[in-house]
């Protein structure tokens, strides 16, 4: 087994692309490292009256293009290097889609599946009060990520607002509509994955209405992507979550599967599919593979068994660099995370704009603008990929890192 450190991988992909850029090495040195990182150890009362200690992180990688932006994750595997890597991806993602944000990420090492709603609420409120001095609508704006949702965002907004003494909806995105959330945010990342799949299929001359799709991770990103793809006729032949997976070569009934997961908390036990392991879904032969769960799942241990034409990285960092290179050599078109899942941060940006301007946009306006932004980014990445004969990932990173480096150079080094 390879040792998998997401931050080392994030730095390796930065170094590979940075070496090809005609930029001041000093500027590249500055944007290679994380700007700020805060680690907090804090207590929470559990339901049985016991005090439990938790460790949380908020990392701001770069703020040269605007306030830091990035999700908050609740998961047992959360650690500083994972959060650093995810913060760095956010910097490149916001630059790639040209929205005026920097990159951040946060998380708490915990297992929310084994906690009550009350425990998760108390953990959220204490964590946010611990990091409150570095977040804010002008400085750093959290959002949902793995095992956090609109309810958690509402508690974040409320806690921050209580500390300020007035309501601050712009401190967080992905909130419920009732407190300043935007239409279209819940589905935004999956919709963005769907648009990227459609653009990629179009470039390869693949008929999406006849395509077969396998999806790892049937949460927010995976299930929305599945729904949108099945609506245009694609067959979702495999899907999995943390508890297991399913295969049905005739195509899964996505709507029924979503209802089953809502009712039981897992795709496992869905009657209309054969059970397989969570990771086995990645190696089911298909036209489109969407890893939409966690990082480092496509590795040298399974890359040779992956049989697909397009990979849409719904998750952040699902492919380790060596496996990425192997896929490129095999002509598998990998649409990288910073492009494939950028729909979420684009609509988060729209939510923040509505909050600070105190107005609301219509849903079709939000979706149309997001689609246009994703298309513009996709087209520029694809053109560079063809022109320079590099992977889509290297093309995307070239554009993104170049923009962050330019912003840093234009601002100059303080003092
Ligand atoms: P989620 O919590 O809604 O869903 C995660 C899903 O992955 C769940 O179904 C879970 O059971 C499954 N999962 C966890 N571990 C797994 C494993 N080992 N094997 C198979 N399935 C597993 O989270 P989400 O918001 O859908 O996020 C999924 C990925 O997308 C993450 O990498 C996240 O960083 C990325 N992402 C999310 C957003 C967003 O807006 N939600 C935006 C950009 C990127």
């Amino acid at each position: 087994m390879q040792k998998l450190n997401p931050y080392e991988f994030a730095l390796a992909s930065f170094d590979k692309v940075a070496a090809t850029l005609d930029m001041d090495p000093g500027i590249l040195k500055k944007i290679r490292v994380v700007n700020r990182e805060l680690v907090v150890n804090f207590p929470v009362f559990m339901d049985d009256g016991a005090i439990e200690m938790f460790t949380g992180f908020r990392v701001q990688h770069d703020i040269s293009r605007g306030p830091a932006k990035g999700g908050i994750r609740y998961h047992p595997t959360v650690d500083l290097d994972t959060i650093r890597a995810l913060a760095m991806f956010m910097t490149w993602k916001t630059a790639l889609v040209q929205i005026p944000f920097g990159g951040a990420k946060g998380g708490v090492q915990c297992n929310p599946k084994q906690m009550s709603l009350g425990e998760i609420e108390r953990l959220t409120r204490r964590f946010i009060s611990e990091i409150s001095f570095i977040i804010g609508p002008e400085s750093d704006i959290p959002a949902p990520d793995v095992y956090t949702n609109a309810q958690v965002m509402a508690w974040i907004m409320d806690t921050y607002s209580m500390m300020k003494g007035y309501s601050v909806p712009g401190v967080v995105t992905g909130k419920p509509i009732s407190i300043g959330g935007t239409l279209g945010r819940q589905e935004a990342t999956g919709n963005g994955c769907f648009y990227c799949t459609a653009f990629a299929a179009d470039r390869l001359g693949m008929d999406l209405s006849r395509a077969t799709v396998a999806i790892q991770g049937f949460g927010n990103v995976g299930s929305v992507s599945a729904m949108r793809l099945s609506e245009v006729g694609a067959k979702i032949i495999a899907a999995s979550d943390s508890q297991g997976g399913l295969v049905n070569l005739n195509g899964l009934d996505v709507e029924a599967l979503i209802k089953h997961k809502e009712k039981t908390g897992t795709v496992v036990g869905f009657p209309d599919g054969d059970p397989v392991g969570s990771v086995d879904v990645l190696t089911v032969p298909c036209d489109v593979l969407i890893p939409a769960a966690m990082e480092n799942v496509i590795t040298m241990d399974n890359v040779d068994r992956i049989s697909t034409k397009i990979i849409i990285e719904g998750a952040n960092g699902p492919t380790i660099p060596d496996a990425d290179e192997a896929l490129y050599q095999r002509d598998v078109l990998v649409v990288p995370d910073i492009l494939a899942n950028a729909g979420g941060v684009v609509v988060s940006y729209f939510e923040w704009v509505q909050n600070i301007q105190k107005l609301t946009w219509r849903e079709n306006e939000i979706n149309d603008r997001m689609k246009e932004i994703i298309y513009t980014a996709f087209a520029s990445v694809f053109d560079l990929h063809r022109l320079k004969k590099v992977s889509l990932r290297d093309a995307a990173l070239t554009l993104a890192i170049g923009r962050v480096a330019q912003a840093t150079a234009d601002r100059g080094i303080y003092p």
Side-chain angles (χ1 to χ4, degrees):
M1 276 295 257
Q2 289 169 285
K3 188 177 171 293
L4 308 174
N5 180 328
Y7 190 48
E8 280 172 20
F9 294 153
L11 291 175
S13 49
F14 173 87
D15 289 341
K16 182 179 174 205
V17 167
T20 68
L21 294 176
D22 184 20
M23 283 283 171
D24 179 342
I27 295 291
L28 293 170
K29 209 191 297 178
K30 178 191 178 293
I31 65 174
R32 185 180 188 272
V33 296
V34 161
N35 185 196
R36 294 186 184 132
E37 43 194 39
L38 178 61
V39 182
V40 292
N41 296 300
F42 59 94
V44 176
F45 270 122
M46 307 310 277
D47 288 345
D48 63 3
I51 295 171
E52 233 8 283
M53 289 302 292
F54 291 89
T55 302
F57 309 90
R58 187 70 185 171
V59 170
Q60 297 171 354
H61 170 255
D62 189 271
I63 52 169
S64 56
R65 298 180 56 262
K69 183 87 189 88
I72 288 185
R73 174 176 295 196
Y74 290 170
H75 198 271
T77 63
V78 162
D79 61 16
L80 187 55
D81 272 352
T82 304
I83 298 297
R84 284 169 168 160
L86 293 168
M88 200 174 194
F89 289 139
M90 287 305 298
T91 303
W92 312 142
K93 196 181 301 181
T94 53
L96 181 65
V97 292
Q98 305 201 69
I99 55 176
F101 284 140
K105 204 79 180 188
V108 178
Q109 223 172 63
C110 63
N111 189 348
K113 287 190 173 172
Q114 290 173 1
M115 295 168 71
S116 71
L117 210 57
E119 289 170 341
I120 297 172
E121 176 174 356
R122 292 192 291 278
L123 174 137
T124 302
R125 290 186 181 281
R126 179 64 190 235
F127 174 56
I128 291 307
S129 61
E130 294 279 349
I131 65 165
S132 61
F133 63 97
I134 63 164
I135 63 168
E138 303 299 337
S139 54
D140 182 354
I141 307 134
D145 193 70
V146 176
Y147 299 155
T148 58
N149 55 21
Q151 175 61 79
V152 173
M153 299 307 113
W155 292 326
I156 294 177
M157 182 272 197
D158 186 67
T159 303
Y160 187 83
S161 298
M162 286 296 131
M163 295 176 78
K164 287 283 168 188
Y166 51 89
S167 292
V168 190
V171 67
V172 72
T173 59
K175 303 175 286 294
I177 307 274
S178 61
I179 52 170
T182 186
L183 296 165
R185 175 62 185 90
Q186 177 84 6
E187 307 80 19
T189 307
N191 279 342
C193 287
F194 166 70
Y195 295 139
C196 283
T197 313
F199 301 148
D202 182 57
R203 293 295 204 277
L204 294 191
M206 179 193 288
D207 178 358
L208 208 49
S209 70
R210 300 165 76 87
T212 54
V213 181
I215 301 183
Q216 187 203 32
F218 206 69
N220 176 307
V221 178
S223 65
V224 174
S225 304
M227 197 65 221
R228 294 299 312 274
L229 285 160
S230 69
E231 280 165 7
V232 298
K235 254 195 257 176
I236 313 304
I237 58 166
S240 71
D241 61 23
S242 60
Q243 298 185 42
L246 297 165
V247 173
N248 180 343
L249 297 181
N250 294 318
L252 293 158
D253 177 343
V254 175
E255 216 175 325
L257 185 58
I258 290 173
K259 284 200 183 113
H260 175 85
K261 168 122 183 162
E262 274 167 12
K263 211 161 99 194
T264 65
T266 172
V267 297
V268 174
F270 185 66
D272 199 17
D274 299 323
V276 290
S278 291
V279 285
D280 299 334
V281 160
L282 295 168
T283 48
V284 171
C286 58
D287 298 315
V288 179
L289 174 65
I290 307 185
M294 303 296 286
E295 51 282 336
N296 298 341
V297 295
I298 300 179
T299 66
M300 294 313 281
D301 296 327
N302 64 4
V303 70
D304 290 342
R305 287 178 285 122
I306 286 178
S307 170
T308 191
K309 299 183 182 85
I310 298 174
I311 296 180
I312 302 290
E313 292 188 335
N316 286 308
T319 314
I320 71 155
D322 288 352
D324 198 40
E325 181 58 31
L327 291 165
Y328 181 62
Q329 296 303 335
R330 276 169 45 199
D331 274 341
V332 177
L333 193 70
V334 180
V335 181
D337 43 12
I338 61 169
L339 175 58
N341 68 36
V345 75
V346 170
V347 176
S348 272
Y349 165 58
F350 296 161
E351 180 175 334
W352 176 78
V353 168
Q354 291 171 81
N355 292 155
I356 58 175
Q357 294 190 344
K358 307 201 183 328
L359 46 76
T360 51
W361 298 0
R362 290 188 308 276
E363 189 163 6
N364 63 341
E365 199 176 346
I366 288 159
N367 290 338
D368 292 351
R369 284 192 191 205
M370 187 264 273
K371 185 177 177 183
E372 193 185 322
I373 289 177
I374 297 294
Y375 180 73
T376 304
F378 185 94
S380 58
V381 168
F382 201 87
D383 288 350
L384 193 64
H385 143 80
R386 281 277 159 89
L387 182 75
K388 299 260 184 196
K389 299 192 174 20
V390 294
S391 66
L392 290 184
R393 187 183 317 279
D394 287 355
L397 285 172
T398 300
L399 291 169
I401 295 171
R403 285 178 191 144
V404 178
Q406 190 60 52
T408 307
D410 288 344
R411 285 179 60 154
I413 301 296
Y414 178 87

